[in-house]
């Protein structure tokens, strides 16, 4: 799958830095936009819808964030996703595997393509962007 526009939604600036470096290292050319919480990303998505701009084709979504966490983001996103012309792939990213062993995964299984435990590695980035 080839992604062009990527949203990284995570309150951890170190994670932002790691993703940027891994993309560079693997020569992966994407338009990446970074957000520190789900609310910021949701506002940007709604703005793109209103303006008719291209939404991201991939969202790397942290679960544990302030303001609007990953689960709350998914609830809101599911209300909007029918309005987007193309499907948006969502990969959950979390510092703890515990978040993936909950009923929430089952609840949002139709929205989540995959999930990864931080820190992101070279292999993870390759599996997302190059396979």
């Amino acid at each position: 799958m080839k992604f062009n526009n990527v949203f990284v939604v995570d309150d951890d600036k170190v994670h932002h830095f790691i993703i940027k470096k891994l993309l560079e290292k693997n020569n992966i050319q994407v338009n990446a936009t970074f957000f520190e919480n789900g609310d910021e990303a949701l506002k940007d998505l709604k703005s793109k819808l209103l303006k008719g701009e291209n939404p991201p084709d991939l969202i790397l979504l942290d679960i544990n964030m302030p303001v609007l966490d990953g689960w709350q983001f998914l609830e809101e996103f599911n209300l909007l996703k029918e309005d987007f012309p193309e499907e948006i792939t969502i990969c959950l990213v979390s510092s703890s595997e515990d978040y993936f062993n909950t009923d929430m995964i089952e609840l949002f299984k139709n929205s989540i393509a995959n999930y990864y435990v931080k820190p992101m590695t070279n292999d993870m980035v390759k599996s997302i962007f190059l396979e």
Side-chain angles (χ1 to χ4, degrees), residues 14-79:
V14 173
H15 182 67
H16 292 190
F17 177 79
I18 289 169
I19 294 221
K20 287 175 188 170
K21 289 295 170 200
L22 288 171
L23 291 172
E24 284 173 22
K25 179 181 177 182
N26 290 287
N27 199 27
I28 297 169
Q29 305 292 318
V30 294
N31 178 20
T33 309
F34 294 83
F35 301 93
E36 291 187 35
N37 64 63
D39 189 52
E40 291 175 0
L42 215 49
K43 285 179 179 160
D44 198 284
L45 277 174
K46 289 177 181 174
S47 169
K48 288 187 181 323
L49 260 180
L50 284 172
K51 296 177 185 172
E53 295 175 356
N54 286 341
D57 32 36
L58 171 67
I59 298 175
L60 297 177
L61 180 65
D62 186 23
I63 296 172
N64 190 12
M65 297 178 286
V67 189
L68 196 72
D69 70 21
W71 302 126
Q72 293 165 318
F73 174 90
L74 284 169
E75 283 177 29
E76 296 287 323
F77 174 81
N78 281 343
L79 300 174

Side-chain angles (χ1 to χ4, degrees), residues 22 116-129:
L22 288 171
Y116 301 91
V117 177
K118 289 191 236 175
M120 285 295 257
T121 64
N122 206 41
D123 287 343
M124 287 179 199
V125 166
K126 283 180 178 178
S127 76
I128 295 168
F129 291 97

